[in-house]
Every structure is written in structure tokens, then in C-alpha cells.
Amino acid sequence: MEIYLFIALVFMYILTVMMLPKRAQKKIWTSAYIVSFAITCVAIFFIRSYAKDMLMQAGELNWYYILYVFGAISTILGAINLWMYKKGVIALFSAADDDDDNDEDA
């Protein structure tokens, strides 16, 4: 299933590159990152908080534990990146749209 998701996202990215201006592309893909980041945070919180109610304990996840660790690491790195680039993200969503394809900050 992950392969299909990867192929679909690459296809959507190619479509947005061909059809949308750079600013709209940045808004779409930054929004997608922020939403997936938030969902990852909620999922990790859910796994840690309600592990006893689930079928598997957090310690019994075997190779899923590696995914959990990398999910936690990506959550922390995502928070750091959002903090480092907060002015750019705020400017991206608050500035007026211009349909110029001449972005110097790309």
C-alpha cells in the first residue's frame, strides 16, 4: 500500500509542477507536510497513551517499534524545522498571491 501511496504522491507532485504556479505548489506541499506532521504527533501520542488498550503493547511491536522511533524522531525534527522556518511558513500563507513564476527564494 505504501508503494501505491508513494506513486500517487509523485504523480500529484508532477501534476502540480506542470499546472500550478510555484507559490501555490509551496502552499499545497507545505500544508500537506504540516497536516501529516500533526497526524503523526497525534498517532504517537495515541500509541503511548493507550498502549494497554490496544492489542499490542508498545514493547511488543517488534519491527513496528523501529517505525515508532523514526516517527518520534521525525516529529521532533519536524517541530524544529517548523520553528526554524516559521517566518517563511507564515509569509507563505499570509502574503498575497502573485502568479509570477520568478521566485528567487525557491
Side-chain angles (χ1 to χ4, degrees):
M1 177 164 158
E2 292 84 8
I3 293 173
Y4 296 129
L5 181 61
F6 178 74
I7 291 169
L9 286 174
V10 168
F11 180 70
M12 288 172 50
Y13 178 75
I14 291 169
L15 286 177
T16 58
V17 166
M18 290 189 302
M19 295 182 180
L20 295 175
K22 278 200 175 279
R23 188 164 193 83
Q25 292 172 28
K26 288 180 182 179
K27 281 185 181 181
I28 289 172
W29 291 104
T30 304
S31 298
Y33 169 72
I34 291 170
V35 168
S36 66
F37 171 72
I39 291 172
T40 302
C41 291
V42 170
I44 289 174
F45 174 76
F46 179 76
I47 287 173
R48 288 309 279 167
S49 298
Y50 301 106
K52 295 189 187 309
D53 298 335
M54 294 173 27
L55 293 175
M56 293 186 291
Q57 297 281 334
E60 299 171 348
L61 292 175
N62 295 333
W63 71 275
Y64 286 111
Y65 186 73
I66 296 171
L67 297 176
Y68 171 79
V69 168
F70 280 102
I73 291 170
S74 69
T75 302
I76 295 165
L77 291 175
I80 292 169
N81 280 314
L82 286 176
W83 180 257
M84 287 173 43
Y85 300 109
K86 66 182 177 273
K87 290 182 182 177
V89 171
I90 291 170
L92 176 66
F93 290 107
S94 63
D97 283 340
D98 55 351
D99 289 334
D100 288 347
D101 284 336
N102 300 332
D103 278 344
E104 285 124 22
D105 61 336

XYZ file of all heavy atoms in Angstrom:
858
model
N 0.809 -1.185 0.000
C 0.000 0.000 0.000
C 0.864 1.266 0.000
O 0.502 2.250 -0.611
C -0.908 -0.007 1.221
C -1.732 1.230 1.323
S -3.070 0.997 2.441
C -3.399 2.679 2.833
N 1.995 1.200 0.681
C 2.855 2.368 0.736
C 3.416 2.711 -0.635
O 3.622 3.884 -0.942
C 4.000 2.149 1.736
C 3.568 2.074 3.167
C 3.091 0.684 3.568
O 3.235 -0.263 2.766
O 2.560 0.551 4.670
N 3.653 1.695 -1.441
C 4.170 1.943 -2.785
C 3.126 2.694 -3.607
O 3.461 3.631 -4.329
C 4.578 0.617 -3.459
C 5.780 0.029 -2.723
C 4.894 0.831 -4.934
C 6.169 -1.351 -3.186
N 1.865 2.299 -3.492
C 0.801 2.988 -4.211
C 0.663 4.433 -3.747
O 0.451 5.341 -4.551
C -0.538 2.268 -4.053
C -0.550 0.891 -4.654
C -0.970 -0.201 -3.923
C -0.123 0.671 -5.965
C -0.987 -1.468 -4.472
C -0.128 -0.595 -6.526
C -0.566 -1.655 -5.771
O -0.578 -2.907 -6.311
N 0.793 4.644 -2.456
C 0.728 5.993 -1.908
C 1.897 6.833 -2.425
O 1.718 7.989 -2.825
C 0.740 5.942 -0.381
C 0.643 7.264 0.351
C -0.667 7.964 0.019
C 0.738 7.033 1.844
N 3.080 6.260 -2.441
C 4.255 6.958 -2.953
C 4.081 7.320 -4.426
O 4.351 8.456 -4.832
C 5.508 6.098 -2.749
C 6.753 6.715 -3.288
C 7.362 7.771 -2.632
C 7.318 6.243 -4.461
C 8.513 8.355 -3.145
C 8.468 6.813 -4.972
C 9.062 7.866 -4.314
N 3.609 6.374 -5.226
C 3.403 6.623 -6.659
C 2.354 7.711 -6.861
O 2.520 8.606 -7.695
C 3.020 5.315 -7.383
C 4.216 4.369 -7.406
C 2.538 5.597 -8.800
C 3.875 2.959 -7.861
N 1.274 7.668 -6.078
C 0.222 8.676 -6.198
C 0.739 10.066 -5.834
O 0.423 11.047 -6.516
C -0.962 8.303 -5.318
N 1.539 10.155 -4.776
C 2.070 11.458 -4.381
C 3.055 12.000 -5.407
O 3.060 13.203 -5.693
C 2.722 11.367 -3.006
C 1.759 11.252 -1.833
C 2.520 11.023 -0.543
C 0.881 12.471 -1.734
N 3.888 11.138 -5.976
C 4.807 11.585 -7.030
C 4.019 12.064 -8.240
O 4.329 13.118 -8.819
C 5.793 10.452 -7.417
C 6.545 10.788 -8.692
C 6.754 10.187 -6.276
N 2.972 11.340 -8.606
C 2.129 11.742 -9.730
C 1.455 13.089 -9.451
O 1.414 13.964 -10.318
C 1.084 10.656 -10.015
C 0.178 10.983 -11.155
C 0.663 10.984 -12.453
C -1.153 11.280 -10.942
C -0.170 11.288 -13.526
C -1.991 11.584 -11.992
C -1.500 11.591 -13.285
N 0.940 13.268 -8.218
C 0.316 14.542 -7.856
C 1.339 15.674 -7.874
O 1.029 16.792 -8.285
C -0.355 14.431 -6.487
C -1.605 13.594 -6.498
S -2.294 13.266 -4.876
C -2.362 14.868 -4.143
N 2.557 15.391 -7.436
C 3.601 16.414 -7.465
C 3.917 16.825 -8.903
O 4.037 18.017 -9.200
C 4.867 15.918 -6.770
C 5.977 16.918 -6.821
C 5.954 18.038 -6.003
C 7.031 16.769 -7.706
C 6.963 18.989 -6.069
C 8.044 17.704 -7.776
C 8.004 18.812 -6.949
O 8.992 19.746 -7.021
N 4.030 15.859 -9.789
C 4.307 16.165 -11.195
C 3.183 17.001 -11.786
O 3.430 17.969 -12.519
C 4.538 14.865 -11.996
C 5.855 14.212 -11.553
C 4.547 15.130 -13.493
C 6.070 12.814 -12.077
N 1.936 16.665 -11.441
C 0.808 17.455 -11.938
C 0.840 18.882 -11.412
O 0.573 19.830 -12.159
C -0.521 16.789 -11.555
C -0.903 15.536 -12.337
C -2.198 14.965 -11.799
C -1.032 15.851 -13.811
N 1.148 19.046 -10.119
C 1.187 20.402 -9.573
C 2.339 21.213 -10.166
O 2.205 22.419 -10.346
C 1.290 20.391 -8.038
O 2.456 19.675 -7.632
C 0.055 19.797 -7.399
N 3.461 20.566 -10.462
C 4.582 21.283 -11.076
C 4.197 21.786 -12.463
O 4.555 22.899 -12.858
C 5.831 20.379 -11.152
C 6.886 20.952 -12.069
C 6.405 20.165 -9.763
N 3.455 20.982 -13.202
C 3.098 21.358 -14.561
C 1.949 22.365 -14.610
O 1.874 23.145 -15.554
C 2.711 20.113 -15.364
C 3.887 19.204 -15.656
S 3.533 17.876 -16.817
C 2.194 17.014 -16.031
N 1.045 22.367 -13.617
C -0.183 23.146 -13.739
C -0.292 24.353 -12.819
O -1.098 25.238 -13.092
C -1.380 22.239 -13.484
C -1.556 21.163 -14.488
S -3.010 20.211 -14.135
C -2.976 19.047 -15.448
N 0.464 24.416 -11.754
C 0.283 25.478 -10.777
C 1.511 26.374 -10.688
O 2.628 25.922 -10.929
C 0.005 24.874 -9.392
C -1.278 24.088 -9.244
C -1.343 23.448 -7.866
C -2.492 24.972 -9.464
N 1.299 27.628 -10.279
C 2.463 28.482 -10.031
C 3.235 28.006 -8.800
O 2.706 27.271 -7.962
C 1.854 29.868 -9.807
C 0.413 29.661 -9.591
C 0.042 28.329 -10.156
N 4.479 28.467 -8.685
C 5.353 27.996 -7.607
C 4.782 28.260 -6.222
O 4.901 27.441 -5.336
C 6.727 28.644 -7.724
C 7.621 27.969 -8.711
C 9.047 28.343 -8.398
C 9.997 27.612 -9.270
N 10.278 26.286 -8.841
N 4.177 29.428 -6.021
C 3.629 29.770 -4.708
C 2.511 28.811 -4.313
O 2.428 28.375 -3.165
C 3.151 31.208 -4.686
C 2.756 31.660 -3.309
C 2.684 33.177 -3.285
N 2.620 33.658 -1.945
C 3.658 33.849 -1.156
N 4.853 33.567 -1.590
N 3.516 34.304 0.059
N 1.637 28.464 -5.244
C 0.559 27.516 -4.961
C 1.127 26.132 -4.665
O 0.627 25.425 -3.779
C -0.417 27.458 -6.128
N 2.178 25.746 -5.393
C 2.828 24.461 -5.115
C 3.370 24.433 -3.698
O 3.178 23.458 -2.966
C 4.000 24.236 -6.072
C 3.650 24.017 -7.503
C 4.907 24.012 -8.351
O 5.978 23.669 -7.895
N 4.765 24.416 -9.602
N 4.055 25.507 -3.327
C 4.619 25.565 -1.982
C 3.537 25.511 -0.917
O 3.696 24.843 0.107
C 5.465 26.826 -1.813
C 6.764 26.781 -2.569
C 7.556 28.057 -2.363
C 8.841 28.037 -3.148
N 9.607 29.273 -2.963
N 2.413 26.207 -1.158
C 1.313 26.191 -0.188
C 0.737 24.779 -0.039
O 0.496 24.314 1.068
C 0.204 27.156 -0.604
C 0.489 28.583 -0.285
C -0.711 29.438 -0.632
C -0.449 30.888 -0.337
N -1.612 31.726 -0.639
N 0.509 24.124 -1.151
C -0.088 22.787 -1.114
C 0.824 21.801 -0.396
O 0.396 21.078 0.512
C -0.401 22.295 -2.545
C -1.580 23.076 -3.115
C -0.689 20.795 -2.555
C -1.842 22.804 -4.578
N 2.101 21.766 -0.772
C 3.005 20.770 -0.212
C 3.413 21.105 1.217
O 3.638 20.206 2.026
C 4.195 20.549 -1.126
C 3.737 19.874 -2.380
C 3.559 20.447 -3.601
C 3.316 18.517 -2.512
N 3.070 19.525 -4.493
C 2.912 18.320 -3.846
C 3.247 17.438 -1.643
C 2.446 17.104 -4.318
C 2.792 16.215 -2.122
C 2.397 16.065 -3.435
N 3.478 22.382 1.564
C 3.738 22.748 2.953
C 2.540 22.409 3.822
O 2.692 21.910 4.947
C 4.094 24.240 3.063
O 5.201 24.521 2.216
C 4.447 24.620 4.488
N 1.336 22.659 3.315
C 0.126 22.276 4.056
C 0.061 20.770 4.259
O -0.299 20.293 5.335
C -1.122 22.745 3.309
O -1.146 24.128 3.198
N 0.398 20.018 3.223
C 0.397 18.559 3.340
C 1.392 18.093 4.389
O 1.112 17.185 5.182
C 0.700 17.923 1.993
N 2.569 18.732 4.418
C 3.568 18.367 5.432
C 3.073 18.687 6.836
O 3.207 17.869 7.745
C 4.894 19.096 5.166
C 5.840 18.967 6.317
C 6.465 17.757 6.579
C 6.075 20.024 7.179
C 7.316 17.618 7.654
C 6.922 19.895 8.249
C 7.534 18.691 8.483
O 8.361 18.558 9.550
N 2.479 19.859 7.018
C 2.004 20.255 8.345
C 0.897 19.328 8.815
O 0.869 18.910 9.976
C 1.571 21.734 8.338
C 2.802 22.633 8.165
C 0.823 22.096 9.613
C 2.482 24.097 7.912
N -0.025 18.973 7.928
C -1.113 18.064 8.297
C -0.569 16.675 8.637
O -0.956 16.070 9.649
C -2.166 17.991 7.166
C -3.146 16.857 7.388
C -2.909 19.307 7.063
N 0.349 16.153 7.820
C 0.911 14.828 8.118
C 1.742 14.859 9.395
O 1.751 13.894 10.164
C 1.741 14.312 6.949
O 2.885 15.103 6.769
N 2.411 15.966 9.655
C 3.170 16.143 10.887
C 2.238 16.099 12.093
O 2.500 15.410 13.080
C 3.931 17.466 10.813
C 4.588 17.884 12.086
C 5.712 17.225 12.545
C 4.087 18.951 12.803
C 6.323 17.622 13.717
C 4.695 19.344 13.972
C 5.808 18.683 14.430
N 1.109 16.806 12.005
C 0.142 16.815 13.107
C -0.464 15.430 13.322
O -0.626 14.982 14.473
C -0.956 17.841 12.825
N -0.783 14.730 12.251
C -1.350 13.384 12.374
C -0.341 12.428 12.997
O -0.692 11.581 13.825
C -1.846 12.883 10.999
C -3.070 13.687 10.578
C -2.167 11.397 11.034
C -3.521 13.421 9.167
N 0.938 12.562 12.616
C 1.982 11.731 13.214
C 2.098 11.996 14.708
O 2.224 11.059 15.507
C 3.336 11.986 12.522
O 3.186 11.707 11.136
C 4.420 11.113 13.105
N 2.033 13.268 15.103
C 2.097 13.608 16.528
C 0.939 12.980 17.294
O 1.131 12.411 18.373
C 2.077 15.120 16.717
S 3.542 15.962 16.151
N -0.255 13.075 16.751
C -1.435 12.503 17.411
C -1.325 10.983 17.475
O -1.650 10.374 18.498
C -2.723 12.940 16.676
C -3.928 12.176 17.171
C -2.928 14.440 16.847
N -0.843 10.348 16.404
C -0.713 8.889 16.388
C 0.302 8.417 17.425
O 0.065 7.424 18.131
C -0.317 8.412 14.993
N 1.425 9.103 17.524
C 2.433 8.713 18.519
C 1.894 8.917 19.930
O 2.091 8.074 20.808
C 3.743 9.481 18.287
C 4.398 8.952 17.014
C 4.687 9.352 19.470
C 5.609 9.706 16.590
N 1.188 10.022 20.157
C 0.574 10.253 21.460
C -0.440 9.154 21.784
O -0.497 8.649 22.901
C -0.098 11.626 21.495
C -0.859 11.875 22.758
C -0.176 12.173 23.929
C -2.235 11.804 22.782
C -0.876 12.398 25.108
C -2.935 12.023 23.947
C -2.260 12.324 25.116
N -1.237 8.762 20.788
C -2.235 7.716 20.984
C -1.575 6.383 21.329
O -2.022 5.669 22.230
C -3.089 7.568 19.724
C -4.130 6.497 19.826
C -5.286 6.696 20.547
C -3.937 5.275 19.206
C -6.247 5.708 20.653
C -4.881 4.277 19.303
C -6.046 4.490 20.032
N -0.509 6.039 20.621
C 0.182 4.776 20.884
C 0.757 4.766 22.295
O 0.653 3.778 23.017
C 1.288 4.531 19.832
C 0.667 4.162 18.496
C 2.225 3.420 20.289
C 1.672 4.064 17.361
N 1.365 5.870 22.710
C 1.970 5.919 24.046
C 0.914 5.979 25.148
O 1.087 5.390 26.203
C 2.900 7.125 24.176
C 4.170 6.998 23.399
C 4.907 5.731 23.651
N 5.703 5.773 24.867
C 6.233 4.714 25.426
N 6.063 3.524 24.893
N 6.952 4.816 26.501
N -0.176 6.680 24.921
C -1.180 6.865 25.967
C -2.082 5.649 26.140
O -2.454 5.303 27.258
C -2.040 8.087 25.659
O -1.249 9.235 25.644
N -2.468 5.040 25.053
C -3.453 3.961 25.104
C -2.858 2.621 24.693
O -3.545 1.769 24.133
C -4.641 4.300 24.213
C -5.315 5.583 24.614
C -5.153 6.729 23.859
C -6.079 5.655 25.766
C -5.752 7.927 24.230
C -6.685 6.839 26.147
C -6.517 7.965 25.375
O -7.115 9.138 25.755
N -1.592 2.397 24.982
C -0.922 1.158 24.568
C -1.528 -0.057 25.257
O -1.609 -1.131 24.679
C 0.572 1.237 24.866
N -1.988 0.083 26.479
C -2.562 -1.057 27.190
C -3.920 -1.460 26.639
O -4.329 -2.601 26.766
C -2.675 -0.731 28.675
C -1.325 -0.535 29.329
C -1.480 -0.439 30.819
C -0.217 -0.071 31.527
N 0.949 -0.782 31.256
N -4.630 -0.527 26.012
C -5.941 -0.825 25.440
C -5.845 -1.412 24.037
O -6.826 -1.950 23.535
C -6.792 0.447 25.385
C -7.046 1.018 26.766
O -6.993 0.245 27.744
O -7.294 2.236 26.864
N -4.680 -1.311 23.422
C -4.510 -1.841 22.077
C -4.159 -3.324 22.150
O -3.856 -3.851 23.205
C -3.412 -1.064 21.338
C -3.797 0.377 21.092
S -2.535 1.447 20.416
C -1.459 0.431 19.522
N -4.183 -3.989 21.036
C -3.871 -5.410 21.004
C -2.407 -5.679 21.319
O -2.068 -6.700 21.881
C -4.218 -5.996 19.629
C -5.698 -6.031 19.291
C -5.883 -6.514 17.865
C -6.445 -6.924 20.246
N -1.531 -4.751 20.942
C -0.109 -4.932 21.187
C 0.367 -3.839 22.132
O -0.085 -2.713 22.053
C 0.680 -4.821 19.881
C 0.413 -5.931 18.917
S 1.494 -5.843 17.474
C 0.894 -4.392 16.674
N 1.292 -4.203 22.977
C 1.954 -3.220 23.819
C 3.028 -2.515 23.001
O 3.473 -3.032 21.978
C 2.617 -3.918 25.019
C 1.642 -4.601 25.942
C 0.957 -3.615 26.862
O 1.508 -2.564 27.161
N -0.226 -3.943 27.294
N 3.457 -1.359 23.450
C 4.489 -0.626 22.711
C 5.789 -1.431 22.651
O 6.519 -1.375 21.679
C 4.735 0.730 23.359
N 6.085 -2.225 23.678
C 7.287 -3.043 23.680
C 7.172 -4.292 22.833
O 8.176 -4.927 22.520
N 5.963 -4.683 22.449
C 5.747 -5.895 21.666
C 5.561 -5.598 20.177
O 5.144 -6.458 19.428
C 4.502 -6.624 22.175
C 4.610 -7.069 23.612
C 3.285 -7.579 24.145
O 2.255 -7.378 23.481
O 3.283 -8.157 25.226
N 5.872 -4.413 19.759
C 5.626 -4.041 18.378
C 6.686 -4.562 17.420
O 6.543 -4.417 16.217
C 5.521 -2.515 18.259
C 4.296 -1.892 18.910
C 4.385 -0.371 18.809
C 3.016 -2.375 18.285
N 7.764 -5.165 17.958
C 8.854 -5.720 17.151
C 9.365 -4.704 16.146
O 9.891 -3.676 16.529
C 8.427 -7.015 16.469
C 8.144 -8.101 17.476
O 8.696 -8.097 18.563
N 7.276 -9.016 17.122
N 9.212 -4.982 14.863
C 9.767 -4.066 13.873
C 8.950 -2.802 13.762
O 9.425 -1.799 13.252
C 9.926 -4.738 12.521
C 8.659 -5.031 11.809
C 7.864 -6.108 11.962
C 8.052 -4.225 10.799
N 6.789 -6.026 11.128
C 6.880 -4.886 10.404
C 8.386 -3.013 10.208
C 6.036 -4.363 9.439
C 7.535 -2.499 9.248
C 6.385 -3.179 8.868
N 7.696 -2.798 14.252
C 6.927 -1.561 14.292
C 7.551 -0.562 15.258
O 7.344 0.631 15.152
C 5.473 -1.819 14.693
C 4.652 -2.445 13.606
C 4.209 -3.755 13.710
C 4.322 -1.726 12.465
C 3.459 -4.333 12.705
C 3.575 -2.295 11.453
C 3.149 -3.593 11.587
O 2.409 -4.158 10.597
N 8.308 -1.073 16.209
C 8.977 -0.182 17.140
C 9.983 0.713 16.422
O 10.131 1.882 16.760
C 9.679 -0.980 18.247
C 10.266 -0.092 19.307
C 9.448 0.551 20.216
C 11.638 0.114 19.387
C 9.971 1.379 21.182
C 12.175 0.940 20.346
C 11.335 1.569 21.246
O 11.860 2.399 22.192
N 10.644 0.186 15.398
C 11.564 1.000 14.600
C 10.797 2.119 13.911
O 11.233 3.276 13.896
C 12.314 0.125 13.577
C 13.202 -0.879 14.307
C 13.131 0.970 12.620
C 13.809 -1.920 13.415
N 9.628 1.786 13.366
C 8.799 2.821 12.751
C 8.339 3.841 13.789
O 8.285 5.041 13.510
C 7.582 2.189 12.068
C 7.873 1.251 10.909
C 6.591 0.631 10.400
C 8.590 1.988 9.808
N 8.021 3.379 14.982
C 7.613 4.275 16.052
C 8.762 5.221 16.415
O 8.549 6.423 16.587
C 7.172 3.467 17.277
C 6.940 4.323 18.490
C 5.769 5.046 18.612
C 7.895 4.416 19.487
C 5.553 5.842 19.717
C 7.690 5.205 20.594
C 6.508 5.919 20.708
O 6.314 6.712 21.791
N 9.960 4.687 16.521
C 11.124 5.517 16.865
C 11.368 6.559 15.785
O 11.570 7.741 16.075
C 12.374 4.643 17.096
C 13.633 5.481 17.161
C 12.213 3.832 18.352
N 11.342 6.134 14.518
C 11.556 7.095 13.448
C 10.398 8.079 13.339
O 10.597 9.237 12.957
C 11.806 6.387 12.121
C 13.214 5.908 11.988
C 13.513 4.574 12.187
C 14.229 6.788 11.694
C 14.819 4.127 12.085
C 15.539 6.349 11.595
C 15.832 5.014 11.792
N 9.195 7.658 13.671
C 8.071 8.592 13.725
C 8.281 9.643 14.802
O 8.006 10.828 14.601
N 8.784 9.207 15.948
C 9.073 10.155 17.024
C 10.196 11.101 16.621
O 10.131 12.312 16.880
C 9.439 9.402 18.299
N 11.234 10.563 15.990
C 12.343 11.405 15.539
C 11.862 12.411 14.494
O 12.218 13.594 14.547
C 13.493 10.537 14.990
C 14.156 9.766 16.127
C 14.523 11.385 14.257
C 15.133 8.713 15.666
N 11.037 11.950 13.550
C 10.542 12.873 12.525
C 9.625 13.926 13.124
O 9.583 15.061 12.635
C 9.838 12.117 11.402
O 8.631 11.565 11.855
N 8.908 13.573 14.186
C 8.075 14.562 14.861
C 8.935 15.652 15.482
O 8.651 16.844 15.347
C 7.219 13.882 15.946
O 6.417 12.880 15.333
C 6.334 14.869 16.654
N 9.999 15.251 16.145
C 10.893 16.225 16.769
C 11.595 17.068 15.701
O 11.662 18.297 15.813
C 11.916 15.505 17.666
C 11.193 14.833 18.832
C 12.978 16.462 18.168
C 12.023 13.825 19.576
N 12.097 16.418 14.660
C 12.756 17.162 13.587
C 11.779 18.089 12.874
O 12.139 19.198 12.473
C 13.395 16.199 12.585
C 14.597 15.415 13.092
C 15.054 14.417 12.037
C 15.718 16.342 13.489
N 10.535 17.636 12.703
C 9.518 18.490 12.087
C 9.236 19.718 12.931
O 9.086 20.825 12.403
N 9.151 19.546 14.245
C 8.937 20.693 15.131
C 10.101 21.667 15.043
O 9.909 22.887 14.997
C 8.738 20.215 16.568
N 11.312 21.139 15.005
C 12.492 22.000 14.889
C 12.480 22.747 13.556
O 12.732 23.957 13.500
C 13.786 21.173 15.048
C 13.908 20.666 16.488
C 15.010 21.977 14.646
C 14.994 19.636 16.696
N 12.166 22.038 12.469
C 12.120 22.690 11.159
C 11.031 23.744 11.080
O 11.241 24.821 10.517
C 11.930 21.662 10.047
C 13.212 20.971 9.694
O 14.221 21.617 9.532
N 13.174 19.661 9.579
N 9.856 23.438 11.620
C 8.793 24.440 11.616
C 9.192 25.662 12.436
O 8.864 26.790 12.081
C 7.487 23.838 12.137
C 6.767 22.897 11.185
C 5.548 22.295 11.859
C 6.365 23.620 9.915
N 9.889 25.447 13.543
C 10.345 26.572 14.354
C 11.411 27.385 13.619
O 11.383 28.614 13.616
C 10.888 26.081 15.691
C 11.356 27.217 16.541
C 12.639 27.601 16.765
C 10.534 28.130 17.256
N 12.668 28.694 17.583
C 11.389 29.049 17.899
C 9.161 28.258 17.403
C 10.895 30.079 18.686
C 8.686 29.286 18.194
C 9.541 30.181 18.829
N 12.340 26.702 12.956
C 13.414 27.403 12.243
C 12.875 28.216 11.073
O 13.355 29.318 10.800
C 14.453 26.403 11.740
C 15.328 25.827 12.811
S 16.425 24.512 12.242
C 17.039 25.102 10.711
N 11.890 27.690 10.384
C 11.364 28.334 9.183
C 10.000 28.956 9.411
O 9.221 29.113 8.476
C 11.309 27.335 8.025
C 12.661 26.782 7.676
C 12.985 25.465 7.961
C 13.626 27.581 7.093
C 14.234 24.960 7.660
C 14.875 27.089 6.788
C 15.174 25.777 7.064
O 16.411 25.279 6.767
N 9.691 29.321 10.652
C 8.358 29.840 10.961
C 8.047 31.127 10.203
O 6.924 31.321 9.761
C 8.172 30.021 12.455
C 9.052 31.073 13.081
C 8.830 31.144 14.570
C 9.762 32.148 15.186
N 11.050 31.632 15.548
N 9.026 32.007 10.039
C 8.785 33.248 9.308
C 8.479 32.964 7.837
O 7.613 33.601 7.248
C 9.982 34.179 9.431
C 10.141 34.752 10.816
C 11.314 35.695 10.888
C 11.478 36.204 12.308
N 12.648 37.072 12.450
N 9.195 32.017 7.251
C 8.935 31.654 5.860
C 7.577 31.008 5.672
O 6.879 31.285 4.695
N 7.177 30.157 6.616
C 5.870 29.498 6.531
C 4.759 30.518 6.722
O 3.761 30.509 5.991
C 5.769 28.352 7.563
C 4.365 27.801 7.634
C 6.746 27.242 7.211
N 4.927 31.412 7.688
C 3.915 32.452 7.922
C 3.821 33.369 6.707
O 2.715 33.714 6.265
C 4.249 33.242 9.208
C 4.053 32.344 10.423
C 3.378 34.487 9.320
C 4.570 32.930 11.725
N 4.958 33.735 6.136
C 4.953 34.580 4.945
C 4.326 33.869 3.755
O 3.640 34.495 2.944
C 6.375 35.015 4.599
N 4.542 32.571 3.663
C 3.982 31.805 2.556
C 2.464 31.836 2.581
O 1.818 32.007 1.551
C 4.477 30.350 2.614
C 3.899 29.392 1.576
C 4.358 29.795 0.183
C 4.322 27.980 1.889
N 1.872 31.706 3.751
C 0.419 31.637 3.844
C -0.247 32.984 4.063
O -1.454 33.105 3.898
C 0.008 30.661 4.947
C 0.292 29.245 4.591
C 1.331 28.564 5.191
C -0.449 28.587 3.624
C 1.610 27.254 4.860
C -0.178 27.282 3.283
C 0.854 26.610 3.897
N 0.509 34.017 4.427
C -0.122 35.310 4.698
C 0.052 36.314 3.571
O -0.710 37.251 3.456
C 0.433 35.906 5.992
O 1.808 36.170 5.865
N 1.055 36.146 2.724
C 1.300 37.099 1.642
C 0.276 36.920 0.530
O -0.288 35.843 0.346
C 2.710 36.921 1.091
N 0.059 37.992 -0.194
C -0.871 37.931 -1.319
C -0.278 37.064 -2.422
O 0.933 37.006 -2.613
C -1.137 39.331 -1.848
N -1.158 36.393 -3.141
C -0.687 35.532 -4.232
C -0.300 36.377 -5.430
O -1.009 37.278 -5.842
C -1.779 34.556 -4.663
C -1.926 33.406 -3.709
O -0.978 33.153 -2.948
O -2.985 32.762 -3.714
N 0.840 36.065 -5.971
C 1.230 36.618 -7.248
C 1.531 35.439 -8.158
O 2.105 34.464 -7.757
C 2.424 37.564 -7.135
C 3.618 36.911 -6.451
O 3.475 35.804 -5.923
O 4.699 37.521 -6.466
N 1.106 35.548 -9.369
C 1.238 34.421 -10.287
C 2.554 34.429 -11.030
O 2.676 33.861 -12.105
C 0.074 34.411 -11.283
C -1.220 34.021 -10.618
O -1.156 33.313 -9.593
O -2.288 34.421 -11.111
N 3.564 35.070 -10.435
C 4.885 35.064 -11.054
C 5.537 33.708 -10.855
O 5.436 33.108 -9.815
C 5.799 36.115 -10.419
C 5.393 37.525 -10.819
O 4.580 37.647 -11.758
O 5.895 38.475 -10.183
N 6.192 33.240 -11.870
C 6.978 32.030 -11.747
C 8.442 32.361 -11.473
O 9.299 31.508 -11.535
C 6.881 31.176 -13.029
C 5.558 30.458 -13.117
O 4.933 30.250 -12.048
O 5.144 30.100 -14.228
N 8.704 33.612 -11.163
C 10.078 34.070 -10.929
C 10.342 34.178 -9.438
O 10.582 35.253 -8.905
C 10.315 35.428 -11.583
C 10.114 35.395 -13.083
O 10.316 34.346 -13.677
N 9.735 36.500 -13.682
N 10.304 33.062 -8.743
C 10.609 33.063 -7.305
C 12.105 32.959 -7.132
O 12.741 32.040 -7.627
C 9.944 31.860 -6.596
C 8.500 32.141 -6.274
O 8.110 33.325 -6.311
O 7.771 31.184 -5.969
N 12.681 33.915 -6.410
C 14.096 33.842 -6.139
C 14.401 33.030 -4.904
O 15.515 32.661 -4.646
C 14.680 35.257 -5.981
C 14.827 35.965 -7.305
C 14.090 37.285 -7.282
O 13.851 37.814 -6.208
O 13.761 37.776 -8.368
N 13.380 32.751 -4.067
C 13.601 32.009 -2.825
C 13.333 30.530 -2.981
O 13.211 29.815 -2.028
C 12.738 32.588 -1.709
C 11.251 32.501 -2.030
O 10.909 32.434 -3.232
O 10.447 32.523 -1.093
N 13.271 30.037 -4.205
C 12.955 28.628 -4.433
C 14.055 27.737 -4.060
O 15.145 27.722 -4.044
C 12.565 28.378 -5.882
